Amino acid sequence: MNHQNVLSITGDFVQPPVNPRLVLLSSRELDKMRRVGRLAANLLNHLESMVQPGMSTQALDDEAARWLRAHGAISATLGYAPPGHPPFTGSICTSVNDVVCHGIPNPNQILKDGDIVNIDVTPRLDGYHGDTSKTFLVGNVSAIARKLVEATQESMMRGIAEIKPGARIGDIGAAIQDYAEAQGFSVVRDMVGHGIGRQMHTELQVPHYGKRGSGLKLRPGMVFTVEPMLNEGTHTLKFLADRWTVVTKDKKLSAQFEHTVAVTEEGVEILTLP
């Protein structure tokens, strides 16, 4: 789950905090993050076979809740209610087609052939959070939808490849933006990656655009998400009346991929792999 500022989230876009609090995780904490990260990845893999035409997003949510209970975990998104928002009613986010993020599962929303759907999962296990998402192709999709999804995943991996001690936050965003725009897509500015650990969101923010050499210097023990959202058209967004669902202003497609990563002495470790 992605926010600009976890301390103040409203329908209006906000500026990131000037002096984010830096949280460094210990080796013991990183072990817990690996465990919950694997759980998050395995949940996405479990749901993948259900992403078919005729499936409701509520059925995906129901199965995610059941699976989490069976594995001794809970959803961090269910009931989450930051300032200015009603409690989120899903155990996962399901964002279809022009929905950029925070789509709310609904029994009346039925996946159709040609759709794309991002499923974002944030389980909590033993006091720690894992956060990952993937955009799935539903049946036979258009060439532009496929290109958008593939470019979004590749942009995320290029951003992650920049992570190492001494690199800057801006290096991540620059790599993502350079690739995305070269493919003809825009990068969402108003939603960012975030620090994560015992809290679902810490104040560290990771924009998916930017300038190399700018921003906070990366240090071992930092854990955060890299979760670019690429749009087929303009990067501008709007919130729906439910105060959660974010859509593209021009109604064109949007895709997202997300991993939780840790800065290590050697470089980077992706924590949300099976």
Side-chain angles (χ1 to χ4, degrees):
M1 184 172 273
N2 178 297
H3 288 306
Q4 314 98 307
N5 183 336
V6 299
L7 300 179
S8 176
I9 319 167
T10 69
D12 298 322
F13 299 127
V14 297
Q15 295 300 314
V18 175
N19 295 304
R21 180 171 60 91
L22 181 61
V23 177
L24 301 178
L25 299 191
S26 68
S27 59
R28 175 181 170 276
E29 290 176 306
L30 284 173
D31 283 341
K32 292 180 180 292
M33 289 296 293
R34 291 184 184 100
R35 185 180 175 207
V36 70
R38 284 193 298 269
L39 185 81
N42 287 332
L43 173 56
L44 269 188
N45 286 346
H46 175 72
L47 295 174
E48 182 167 10
S49 65
M50 297 178 62
V51 180
Q52 301 288 341
M55 180 66 62
S56 74
T57 55
Q58 185 62 57
L60 291 169
D61 187 77
D62 291 344
E63 178 57 19
R66 184 206 66 79
W67 191 93
L68 286 171
R69 287 193 301 270
H71 289 79
I74 61 173
S75 168
T77 62
L78 183 62
Y80 181 59
H85 291 253
F88 193 80
T89 57
S91 293
I92 58 177
C93 300
T94 51
S95 303
V96 181
N97 293 335
D98 66 324
V99 177
V100 178
C101 59
H102 305 164
I104 303 172
N106 187 321
N108 297 318
Q109 184 175 50
I110 308 300
L111 298 178
K112 304 183 300 298
D113 188 68
D115 285 344
I116 61 174
V117 56
N118 176 270
I119 300 178
D120 190 340
V121 304
T122 312
R124 184 165 70 242
L125 180 70
D126 196 19
Y128 289 80
H129 297 81
D131 198 355
T132 188
S133 82
K134 178 178 180 179
T135 299
F136 297 94
L137 309 177
V138 184
N140 298 305
V141 305
S142 66
I144 189 63
R146 184 178 297 275
K147 181 181 179 183
L148 174 65
V149 170
E150 291 174 351
T152 306
Q153 184 174 29
E154 177 64 18
S155 72
M156 174 188 66
M157 296 308 298
R158 289 185 179 222
I160 291 172
E162 297 288 331
I163 298 171
K164 60 185 177 182
R168 299 278 182 171
I169 289 288
D171 300 340
I172 302 170
I176 291 169
Q177 182 180 12
D178 288 349
Y179 181 78
E181 292 179 353
Q183 301 302 307
F185 301 118
S186 63
V187 180
V188 169
R189 264 70 162 171
D190 300 302
M191 300 290 171
V192 298
H194 54 87
I196 186 170
R198 293 191 70 89
Q199 295 177 296
M200 180 162 56
H201 300 100
T202 67
E203 292 180 30
L204 173 64
Q205 299 191 359
V206 185
H208 302 110
Y209 66 99
K211 181 179 178 183
R212 288 189 179 277
S214 66
L216 192 66
K217 184 180 289 188
L218 302 182
R219 295 169 54 186
M222 294 173 66
V223 178
F224 51 85
T225 66
V226 179
E227 47 180 308
M229 287 150 279
L230 270 57
N231 292 349
E232 177 189 0
T234 175
H235 66 77
T236 54
L237 316 174
K238 68 176 182 178
F239 283 81
L240 298 188
D242 61 28
R243 289 183 285 172
W244 275 110
T245 307
V246 181
V247 300
T248 58
K249 193 170 184 179
D250 59 10
K251 299 295 184 182
K252 292 187 176 181
L253 295 175
S254 184
Q256 180 186 14
F257 281 80
E258 175 182 15
H259 274 310
T260 299
V261 301
V263 183
T264 68
E265 296 286 353
E266 295 78 24
V268 61
E269 179 182 356
I270 299 175
L271 301 176
T272 42
L273 292 176

